[in-house]
Amino acid sequence: MSRAALVAEAGESIRIGSKSFHSASRLFDRQTRERAWLLYCWCRHCDDVCDGQAFGHAGAQQGCVADLQALTQQVLNGKTVGILPFDALGRLLSECALPRGFILDHLQGFTLDAEDWRPQDEAGLLRYCYHVAGAVGCMMAVIMGVDPNDEETLRRASELGIAFQLSNIARDVRADHEAGRCYLPIQWMDAHGVDPADPLNAATMENLTALVRRICDLAEVYEQSARAGIKRLPFRSRWAIHAAAGIYGRIGRRVAKLGPRAWDRRVVIPKREKGLIILAAAGSAV
């Protein structure tokens, strides 16, 4: 496929797969936006294959993580495999010096899921969040022009990805449980009196609420720490990242505020509210 066709297909994947990230990505300059879409296309595909989903929704056949690793390795070796998400990654690598370590780190998150891994403690939770989202934050930073050797800025980018994932985990407790997964640390569940086999039990719902509020508080700590790195980005990128942080931060805070009602239906940020967050993000970027 031509670059234009790859970008168009990748843009469609983010439009369908993540309305929040799509809204924020439109604030980037054209080159950064297109490269972000190319990266998202590969990340989304890997996530969907691992979860047996299509664009984040149930219904697709679950695939093999080993195949994802093998195809990605071919791309890293400079080969074209003829599959959209991997060709999108290949095109991105031809334009941008993404450290392959971040790509392999991200794949490790899918390996953990395939092995039905569960975090035992806070360190395990943060480890998982780094692999599935923090590493993506680092890749996005490089796409936005951050030097791959700028460890301080990359650390802040990783923290923002971790904050996003913590908010996702808080929001998706019911969906994860129904899919046979749980990302709540076992030690925290024991301490709060939450049954790992039945975390949404009505009798212990207040306990679960307290545990999840702890995750939301941790997300906010990581979000605030990460914001210190945003000032090092170009204006359009600052605007986009402030917007994304604002939207995902609002999700986590809303989950915490809703308490036991947080999982009656999936928490989303309405379009008008997103628009106000984007406007506020412009002021933060300035």
Side-chain angles (χ1 to χ4, degrees):
M1 296 176 68
S2 68
R3 185 186 189 281
L6 283 171
V7 168
E9 291 290 341
E12 185 66 6
S13 75
I14 192 171
R15 187 189 68 79
I16 297 172
S18 177
K19 291 181 174 60
S20 294
F21 283 135
H22 182 255
S23 296
S25 73
R26 290 184 300 172
L27 305 177
F28 287 125
D29 64 86
R30 180 176 177 177
Q31 176 177 276
T32 303
R33 178 173 62 250
E34 291 179 351
R35 290 176 176 178
W37 289 357
L38 293 171
L39 176 63
Y40 178 89
C41 185
W42 173 75
C43 293
R44 174 84 269 168
H45 175 76
C46 292
D47 195 29
D48 282 350
V49 167
C50 184
D51 291 343
Q53 298 178 333
F55 299 110
H57 302 286
Q61 183 176 359
Q62 192 167 17
C64 178
V65 174
D67 291 341
L68 297 176
Q69 294 171 328
L71 288 167
T72 301
Q73 192 60 56
Q74 289 184 47
V75 173
L76 291 174
N77 291 338
K79 295 182 179 179
T80 300
V81 300
I83 302 173
L84 171 64
F86 298 96
D87 289 351
L89 177 64
R91 171 63 69 171
L92 176 61
L93 291 174
S94 73
E95 299 177 3
C96 189
L98 285 182
R100 67 171 53 201
F102 294 141
I103 295 172
L104 298 177
D105 281 351
H106 187 46
L107 283 174
Q108 183 60 30
F110 304 119
T111 300
L112 292 173
D113 276 332
E115 294 172 348
D116 197 27
W117 175 91
R118 294 188 176 188
Q120 295 296 313
D121 52 20
E122 181 176 317
L125 172 65
L126 294 175
R127 173 194 171 205
Y128 176 78
C129 289
Y130 165 73
H131 283 296
V132 298
V136 178
C138 292
M139 289 188 279
M140 279 298 304
V142 175
I143 286 173
M144 288 183 278
V146 173
D147 188 326
N149 295 314
D150 184 351
E151 295 182 2
E152 173 61 20
T153 302
L154 292 177
R155 182 172 66 84
R156 302 292 186 177
S158 174
E159 288 175 340
L160 190 57
I162 289 170
F164 290 171
Q165 188 60 29
L166 288 168
S167 291
N168 276 338
I169 289 171
R171 173 174 64 178
D172 294 338
V173 170
R174 182 177 297 279
D176 288 335
H177 177 64
E178 291 173 351
R181 290 183 175 166
C182 181
Y183 300 109
L184 308 177
I186 298 299
Q187 288 184 6
W188 288 16
M189 297 179 85
D190 289 343
H192 285 271
V194 176
D195 183 0
D198 189 16
L200 291 152
N201 189 306
T204 57
M205 186 59 74
E206 290 293 342
N207 301 22
L208 175 65
T209 299
L211 188 161
V212 170
R213 189 175 294 115
R214 189 173 173 183
I215 290 177
C216 294
D217 289 344
L218 187 60
E220 187 144 10
V221 169
Y222 271 79
E223 176 194 335
Q224 294 307 317
S225 179
R227 285 183 181 274
I230 299 177
K231 63 185 179 182
R232 303 186 178 108
L233 302 174
F235 171 73
R236 293 285 296 270
S237 294
R238 291 201 304 274
W239 187 9
I241 300 306
H242 273 299
I247 292 168
Y248 264 82
R250 187 72 57 88
I251 288 171
R253 286 184 281 276
R254 186 150 298 169
V255 168
K257 183 177 181 179
L258 284 170
R261 295 180 292 114
W263 307 287
D264 291 347
R265 59 181 180 178
R266 194 168 193 259
V267 173
V268 297
I269 305 302
K271 184 179 293 187
R272 182 177 181 278
E273 192 171 343
K274 283 182 184 175
L276 294 174
I277 291 171
I278 289 169
L279 284 175
S284 298
V286 171

